[in-house]
Amino acid sequence: MDHAADAHRTDLMTVTRYVLNEQSRHPEARGDFTILLSHIVLGCKFVCTAVNKAGLAKLIGLAGETNVQGEEQKKLDVLSNEVFVKALVSSGRTCILVSEEDEEATFVDPRLRGKYCVVFDPLDGSSNIDCGVSIGTIFGVYMVDKDLDKISLDDVLQPGKNMLAAGYCMYGSSCTLVISTGNGVNGFTLDPSLGEFILTHPDIKIPKKGKIYSVNEGNAKNWDGPTAKYVEKCKFPTDGSSPKSLRYIGSMVADVHRTLLYGGIFLYPADKKSPNGKLRVLYEVFPMSFLMEQAGGQAFTGKERALDLIPTKIHQRSPIFLGSYDEVEEIKALYAAEQK
Ligand code: FDP
């Protein structure tokens, strides 16, 4: 019997234990982030259960409302949003919440305020709900360092590089939570029998170069020059290398998760119809860019490092190219060449 392996299997690193360990490296920390995270984790577990029984519980279908982007809102979106907002407010550690589903930011009642701002998309990839494709929750956390009576929207309209933590939870064949608190990226898988997220993917590093590109090629007719050139090169390389494979699920969490683990590039570029792309800066582009950089990759908007962008509106969109270091470097070179 392999006792070492057995010991490894029985020494379960839960996400809470992991964050507590991280906290002990910061003597000034008082456990507030651990409490906040445990409420985010609760939201993820709830959504995971709801997604798993969606078909059975007749949760699938339209809720009869449209969200701020004018998209049809599904019952699961509504439910997930409510659960996250309530969990975050009741943590007593948040002051401003920005959700993809809510037009306005939520300013938490002063009696329940804490120092964190949370930006999140409670259920991203919602057009995939009805066919059982992986979907997910995306979140980013900022901290305010001021009197909590003086908070304003400017406290969340900050560049992504100011985020303290970011992550996503993917509701797929298993439920996977990937998070970074600015010290690398770690992946945890929900053990349904324990109800705990267990560390299964420690210190995730994205391969420096990748063999997969991920994009909605149906928009190719309207792409700009650099994007068109890059994708052409993926398919018809001129340097003797093999063409890349195309994988596109159309659910950002799932596409980014694969990119993080296998390497390659995920792009949702600008096009003539949507000059700012489709994906939202605060709760899609920033958290995923934060994770990519923490895993050794890069994230670029076509103009600048994604995490340097300063948003002016809470639901602002931006083009995004993220993934393996070398792939994003190629995109950057193509945009730089166009500027000349
Ligand atoms: P969805 O519209 O299904 O909610 O921003 C939302 C998102 O999905 C992302 O998850 C996904 O990457 C992207 O939109 C897919 O957009 P396209 O259908 O235009 O490819």
Side-chain angles (χ1 to χ4, degrees), residues 60-192:
I60 284 174
L62 307 182
E65 292 173 39
T66 50
N67 69 7
V68 283
Q69 274 80 34
E71 298 157 340
E72 289 170 336
Q73 205 171 22
K74 310 272 176 165
K75 282 181 185 166
L76 265 181
D77 304 44
V78 179
L79 192 66
S80 308
N81 191 40
E82 277 178 26
V83 166
F84 271 99
V85 170
K86 285 180 182 155
L88 291 168
V89 170
S90 67
S91 74
R93 300 299 184 281
T94 59
C95 53
I96 309 178
L97 308 178
V98 172
S99 164
E100 197 255 359
E101 298 293 336
D102 295 323
E103 194 161 351
E104 306 291 340
T106 302
F107 285 79
V108 176
D109 184 314
R111 288 166 303 174
L112 281 172
R113 273 183 196 169
K115 60 187 172 188
Y116 297 112
C117 305
V118 182
V119 291
F120 61 103
D121 187 345
L123 203 55
D124 189 76
S126 49
S127 62
N128 288 299
I129 296 173
D130 289 3
C131 58
V133 167
S134 298
I135 46 184
T137 298
I138 312 174
F139 60 90
V141 181
Y142 292 105
M143 191 173 83
V144 295
D145 190 15
K146 61 157 80 152
D147 189 337
L148 293 177
D149 291 332
K150 300 209 167 70
I151 53 166
S152 74
L153 216 45
D154 286 345
D155 294 307
V156 279
L157 293 175
Q158 290 188 50
K161 64 184 173 198
N162 292 356
M163 279 184 173
L164 196 77
Y168 60 79
C169 187
M170 186 176 71
Y171 313 109
S173 49
S174 56
C175 180
T176 311
L177 178 67
V178 173
I179 113 159
S180 174
T181 52
N183 182 30
V185 180
N186 288 283
F188 301 81
T189 305
L190 182 65
D191 180 333

Side-chain angles (χ1 to χ4, degrees), residues 290-303:
F290 188 93
L291 291 166
M292 277 298 160
E293 286 201 2
Q294 285 292 321
Q298 297 197 72
F300 179 63
T301 63
K303 290 196 178 106

Side-chain angles (χ1 to χ4, degrees), residues 71 124-127 216 248 250-252 266 268 278-280 284:
E71 298 157 340
D124 189 76
S126 49
S127 62
N216 184 344
Y248 189 68
S251 174
M252 190 188 195
F266 168 84
Y268 208 111
K278 176 181 183 189
L279 302 178
R280 276 54 67 102
E284 291 183 312

Side-chain angles (χ1 to χ4, degrees), residues 23-78:
Q23 185 188 312
S24 62
R25 303 190 313 124
H26 302 274
E28 73 290 353
R30 291 178 20 231
D32 288 327
F33 183 75
T34 311
I35 293 171
L36 173 72
L37 187 76
S38 70
H39 283 75
I40 294 176
V41 164
L42 176 68
C44 295
K45 285 182 195 169
F46 181 91
V47 177
C48 178
T49 309
V51 168
N52 284 341
K53 60 185 182 199
L56 294 170
K58 299 215 184 320
L59 289 165
I60 284 174
L62 307 182
E65 292 173 39
T66 50
N67 69 7
V68 283
Q69 274 80 34
E71 298 157 340
E72 289 170 336
Q73 205 171 22
K74 310 272 176 165
K75 282 181 185 166
L76 265 181
D77 304 44
V78 179

